[in-house]
Each structure stands twice: as C-alpha cells, then as structure tokens.
Amino acid sequence: MRGPSLAVKGGILLAAVFVALKFVLPLLTAPLPMSLIYLYLFLTIIGIVVYGTLSGESTEALLGPIFRFLSGEGIGGAVKSARLAVLVLFPLLVGWQTYGGLAPNTQPPAESRTIHPAPPGEFVGLSNPLPNTPENVMMGTGLYAAYCLPCHGPKFNGNGAASDGFNPPPANFADPGTIAMLQESYLFWRIKKGGVGLSVEGHPWKSAMPRWEVELSDDQIWKIIMAEYAGAGQKPRTWE
Amino acid sequence: MRTVPLRYRAAALLAVAVGLLWVAPALSQETVVVRAKLIQGEVPTDPAAPIWNTIAATEFPMSPQVHWQKRIGSVTAKSVKVRGVHNNKQIAFMVEYADPTQDPADAAALEFMVGDKKAHFAHGQPMGQVEGGPVNIWYWRNDTPAAADMSAQGFGTLKKQAQQDVQAKAVWKDEKTKVTFKERKLSLRKDPKGEVVKDPQTGNPIVDEDTKVAEQEVSGVWRVVFTRALTTTDKEDVQIQPGTFPNVAFAVWDGKKLESGDLKEAGSQKAVSSWWYINAEPPPDYSIYLYGLIAVVLAAGVEFVIIRKVKKGQPA
C-alpha cells in the first residue's frame, strides 16, 4: 500500500508547525508574534519544496497531487468538495488577514516583564554576614510580619491582605520560581532597592515592591532574608 | 446517505476547536482595560445620566496603601468599577465604589502617565535605572466643587497645575451595591483532639489560610464622573488618542471622621491600585473593510489564473 503522498505529508507538517507555534508554545512560554510564525511557516514550505524537488520522481510526488487538486481533474467525491472549500476559503482567509492586519488593536500591548533581570554588579556575590541562628531568624520573622506580611502574606505566598490591587502581584516565596532559584545576594538587592530599582526589562514603573533602604538597615534586611527562606520552606540557591 | 469519512470529521472538529481558541479572549470579562465607548453627542457629566447604564464597567481591586510611608492597614474601598465614554472631543470616566457614609473629605482620583517616558504608579517616584516621567492626577473631593488637575514626579512634589482642564461631578446614593473582594481567614491548625499542631522543625504553630472570593452587599455608593478634553494644550497633561492604551491607576479616600477627630483615610493613607489601561474606542474606519474586500478579489483572481495555468499545462 502506498502511504499518503508527499503533498499530503507536507500539508500535515505545515499544519502541525502552525498549531505548535500558535497554540502549544504559548502554553509553555510567551506567545510568538504572528509575523514570526509566518516566517517559520514560510521556511517549512521552502524545506518541503526543496525536499520534494530533489528528484524528478519526488517532484511529481509533491506537485502532482497539488496540480490535480487545483485543476479538479481526475478527483472526485469528498476530495472534490474539499477542493471547493479550499478555493472558497483561501480568498476569504487572505481578506480576513488583510482586515486583521489593518484593524485597530483591541488589546493592550503585550508587555512581558522579565521577573528576574540581572542585578547591578555591586549586588552580585554578596553573602549574608549574619549567622543563621534561631534568634536572627526570629528577629527577621518579626520584621517580616511588620513590613512584608501585608503584601507577601502570612504564608509567604504573596497572598497578603494588601496584595489585590497590585499588578504584578507580590512575589510568592513558596513557589519554586521565586526565591528558591535566587541567591541571597539577589534578594538583598531586590529588598534594598525595591521595584523601582529594577532595570527596564523588569518594568520598575509597575512594581509595588517598596525600596526598603529608606526604612530598614542592611542587618535587618539580611535577617528578613533568613526568615523568608525559613518561613517559605526554601533554601537559597548556591553555586557549588 | 453516505457517511462522512473519519478524517473529515476530525478536521471539522479541529477547525471548531481552533475557532473557539480564537474567539475565547473576546468573550471573556474585561479586567484590565477601561473601554471608553465612542458616542454621538455630548459626553455625560452627570453620574445619573442614563447612558452610563448602557456602558459595561471594568472592576479593579484596590489595596490599602502599604507601598510607602505613611501606610494604612485596611481601607473602605475594596474595588472600583470604572466606565468610560468619549465623543472624539471630550472623554468622561465614571468611578463607582461602595462607601457607607457620605463625608466632606471623601475623595477619588485617576492617575495617568504623561509623555513617552514611563512613570511609576506611586506619584511618578524616581526609578533607579530608568529615567521616569511625570504623572497627571485628576482629583475630586466632595467638599470642593471643582476637580483638581494636578502633576507629580516623586513623593512630595504633588501640585495643582497652572492650567485646569478637568471637571468632576459626584453623587452619593444610599442604595445597595455588591462588591466582590478576596476574603482571607487564618486559623491555627488543630488535630482531632483540638490541640494546636506545631511544625516539627520550628516548633511554631501551623497557620492555615482560607481565601475565597466573597460578594458583599453594601449600602452607599459614590459615583464620580471626571470629564476632560481628549487632548489639551497643557504639556503637563495626559493626551488621549483614540485607539491607544494609556496607563491609568486609581485612588480612593474614605474621608469619614473617626472618634479621635482624625480622618479615616487622608493623604497617603488611601486605597490604591497600580497601572491598568484605558482605551478610547477609535472611530470606525470603513476603508479597512474595503481593503479586505480588495484582498479577497485579488486572491480569487490569482487563484483563477493559477488554476487556468495548471489546467493548460496538464495532459487531460
């Protein structure tokens, strides 16, 4: 039995690439702009054509079905209706894309913010100067309760009573994607300089994270860092 | 009747699924943008104007201001519902929120970024690595008949602008309204015997948190309508171009007098939000439909030519 022809396989590949880029990828990471998706589809088509035209036989395998499909000769039944559908849908799709490209944006610009931009050099590689003693952790916990708990919450999960109005929301320290993947030095920077200390990729203008150097000493910040890890049940990242 | 082959049914299903994915965002409830609808005629300056009933509101949760000193632990306004309309010249926003008492010092404000530079939502305070811009604040207070058109760039720099361009009109009504907010309950974890459970590592009691979205009925509603020209001649003002998405932030003060004589909320002690968006609906541009149609005709033409060529080139 012959398998599906090269043209059909190519079509399936093209559809699969589109579905993967447009719908599957956004589940994992930031969505790709449509222009980039078209570029990838275009490259896929080139690949298929190059592969298909390597030999006379494969050229026929690639183009033959396409030609027959287009001309409508020698096909029948369901394929014939499919041909009609394609011939009708294609101009409509082009029209729709043109409309979509010109129509005013109805959604705010996608502003993807880098959650963990690089810290300034002076905050790289600092280590906590205070010993991790129960007293220090306890003092840190007290400071956390007074200063951080309204936003980051009693459970260290960002669900404080004052968290609702802020976008982005306060960080969830219990989530493995926040302090567990950071070094203490990084936290020290973030707490001392706050949201306004972020670089432009971090969108400092949106962050409600206060600049604590105004109110807390360095020692207090180091104690809070210990308390944060203890309370959230996490360990700072170290480079071993 | 002939049965449809499985693969066509599968293809149809796939098409439906893809279509649904496409329209789903359009159907979802608006949560990040205040959409100012384009209307004919005057924009309503009165909160009681019937047109407001036809405009969908976007509800934004509010936080007690704990970002900088002086902080406040809890506030009256848990959320604001905001609507907008414009007529290509004037724009009106109605901020609606629950407040059980009407007090002279009750107040509300909208904040915008001015110019191309980003501004921090807290009064455009300076940012460490990014050069920020100023903010424009539209402020209304119950005991002051006129709205204030203000500017700030950093804490302590708030000032009334030389050129006042904003109007406001507010009405408080003793009517019932529903507010949705997150309700959080903390409780000590107890074992079946009623003993407090302790963390084996730290020895501290374990606290459980229960968060749910609650709906509460409150009596007393403020509706505050701010109006301004979309664009002004004042460099210190936000300029609103239809179709764009300028940022907006909200603030509300419950000016109720406490027994101590102090106001419940005043100055930096207020309900706040960070940045969201407004969008003044752009005027319909029918040429887009025309271009779409031209594209359809062109594509059909190209299709026709290709098929002709293919038919000619193929042995019949």
Side-chain angles (χ1 to χ4, degrees):
Chain A
M1 199 187 89
R2 272 181 71 219
S5 80
L6 193 54
V8 174
K9 281 192 216 153
I12 292 174
L13 179 66
L14 210 57
V17 169
F18 177 74
V19 169
L21 292 180
K22 170 92 191 173
F23 300 111
V24 181
L25 193 78
L27 303 177
L28 310 172
T29 163
L32 281 183
M34 223 35 215
S35 53
L36 217 57
I37 294 185
Y38 285 136
L39 183 72
Y40 286 129
L41 290 181
F42 181 67
L43 292 176
T44 312
I45 292 178
I46 303 232
I48 295 169
V49 168
V50 167
Y51 177 80
T53 50
L54 284 177
S55 73
E57 194 184 323
S58 62
T59 311
E60 157 58 25
L62 177 69
L63 296 182
I66 297 180
F67 279 20
R68 278 194 290 285
F69 187 80
L70 284 176
S71 67
E73 277 151 23
I75 59 173
V79 184
K80 207 159 188 123
S81 343
R83 170 179 183 268
L84 196 69
V86 167
L87 294 189
V88 171
L89 283 179
F90 173 72
L92 291 181
L93 193 73
V94 172
W96 174 250
Q97 284 295 333
T98 310
Y99 169 82
L102 293 173
N105 246 341
T106 57
Q107 292 305 317
E111 297 181 332
S112 52
R113 129 175 216 279
T114 305
I115 298 172
H116 296 133
E122 65 206 273
F123 289 100
V124 175
L126 304 179
S127 48
N128 198 328
L130 304 176
N132 197 325
T133 59
E135 296 75 56
N136 278 342
V137 173
M138 210 170 76
M139 279 159 77
T141 307
L143 291 165
Y144 178 90
Y147 292 99
C148 324
L149 182 138
C151 286
H152 293 285
K155 303 278 284 178
F156 297 84
N157 58 2
N159 188 25
S163 65
D164 294 332
F166 300 125
N167 168 39
N172 172 358
F173 302 137
D175 183 295
T178 65
I179 60 174
M181 57 181 286
L182 301 171
Q183 292 181 286
E184 283 182 289
S185 188
Y186 193 92
L187 260 67
F188 184 69
W189 166 54
R190 288 309 323 276
I191 298 167
K192 195 170 160 98
K193 296 292 177 183
V196 291
L198 288 164
S199 59
V200 66
E201 312 88 71
H203 295 186
W205 52 90
K206 293 180 190 164
S207 173
M209 171 65 187
R211 179 162 69 95
W212 287 108
E213 66 181 345
V214 181
E215 294 164 68
L216 298 174
S217 70
D218 285 3
D219 275 6
Q220 287 176 312
I221 294 178
W222 286 119
K223 284 177 191 159
I224 294 176
I225 293 176
M226 291 180 212
E228 240 173 62
Y229 281 107
Q234 308 278 7
K235 294 223 158 30
R237 178 160 178 177
T238 50
W239 307 107
E240 54 289 331
Chain B
M1 208 187 88
R2 252 187 12 187
T3 54
V4 183
L6 186 66
R7 60 179 188 281
Y8 294 112
R9 275 181 278 166
L13 268 179
L14 185 74
V16 170
V18 168
L20 278 179
L21 277 174
W22 224 296
V23 296
L27 299 176
S28 61
Q29 165 81 34
E30 192 63 75
T31 55
V32 300
V33 185
V34 180
R35 302 221 178 246
K37 194 175 166 178
L38 176 59
I39 57 165
Q40 305 289 324
E42 297 296 300
V43 300
T45 54
D46 189 340
I51 184 156
W52 291 117
N53 299 327
T54 68
I55 310 288
T58 308
E59 187 167 5
F60 299 94
M62 300 293 278
S63 283
Q65 195 293 107
V66 288
H67 175 67
W68 75 96
Q69 295 162 310
K70 236 171 120 179
R71 302 190 171 85
I72 183 166
S74 78
V75 284
T76 301
K78 302 279 185 285
S79 74
V80 292
K81 292 181 189 137
V82 189
R83 295 172 174 82
V85 293
H86 78 103
N87 62 3
N88 266 327
K89 287 200 185 67
Q90 296 280 121
I91 189 160
F93 293 108
M94 181 163 85
V95 180
E96 176 184 324
Y97 61 93
D99 180 351
T101 57
Q102 177 185 4
D103 309 288
D106 283 348
L110 300 179
E111 179 186 56
F112 304 92
M113 295 185 191
V114 180
D116 294 335
K117 292 207 183 81
K118 299 287 186 185
H120 193 273
F121 72 84
H123 283 207
Q125 66 170 308
M127 294 176 275
Q129 305 188 49
V130 177
E131 194 193 336
V135 292
N136 180 197
I137 293 172
W138 303 1
Y139 176 79
W140 157 85
R141 187 173 140 136
N142 190 20
D143 57 4
T144 323
D149 191 0
M150 306 211 271
S151 289
Q153 188 165 6
F155 297 130
T157 64
L158 185 66
K159 63 163 191 1
K160 223 170 148 169
Q161 297 178 355
Q163 184 178 325
Q164 293 290 304
D165 298 289
V166 181
Q167 296 82 41
K169 185 170 178 204
V171 172
W172 183 87
K173 266 204 175 149
D174 187 12
E175 65 180 34
K176 290 211 180 339
T177 185
K178 286 211 172 95
V179 280
T180 38
F181 61 98
K182 277 199 194 147
E183 195 176 46
R184 299 173 169 88
K185 285 205 183 99
L186 292 173
S187 54
L188 288 174
R189 189 181 298 176
K190 302 245 174 79
D191 64 15
K193 279 183 263 154
E195 301 276 325
V196 172
V197 178
K198 296 200 168 139
D199 185 319
Q201 272 181 344
T202 60
N204 296 332
I206 295 183
V207 178
D208 283 321
E209 184 181 55
D210 179 28
T211 308
K212 59 170 187 278
V213 176
E215 202 174 51
Q216 199 178 44
E217 205 168 53
V218 182
S219 292
V221 186
W222 269 118
R223 291 193 180 87
V224 187
V225 171
F226 292 91
T227 41
R228 208 205 70 177
L230 282 169
T231 55
T232 67
T233 53
D234 190 347
K235 281 199 312 292
E236 296 185 300
D237 283 345
V238 59
Q239 307 299 337
I240 303 170
Q241 311 294 345
T244 60
F245 288 85
N247 287 107
V248 67
F250 310 100
V252 168
W253 294 259
D254 179 2
K256 184 181 168 147
K257 228 191 188 110
L258 302 176
E259 269 171 31
S260 64
D262 291 338
L263 299 181
K264 182 172 181 294
E265 299 167 21
S268 66
Q269 298 187 303
K270 59 183 168 181
V272 292
S273 82
S274 56
W275 291 124
W276 299 100
Y277 301 95
I278 58 166
N279 175 249
E281 184 188 357
D285 179 356
Y286 298 109
S287 68
I288 297 171
Y289 297 103
L290 185 67
Y291 288 126
L293 200 67
I294 294 176
V296 170
V297 171
L298 279 179
V302 169
E303 206 173 72
F304 183 72
V305 170
I306 290 180
I307 291 175
R308 283 272 304 261
K309 284 243 149 160
V310 168
K311 276 191 172 169
K312 269 191 196 153
Q314 219 174 42

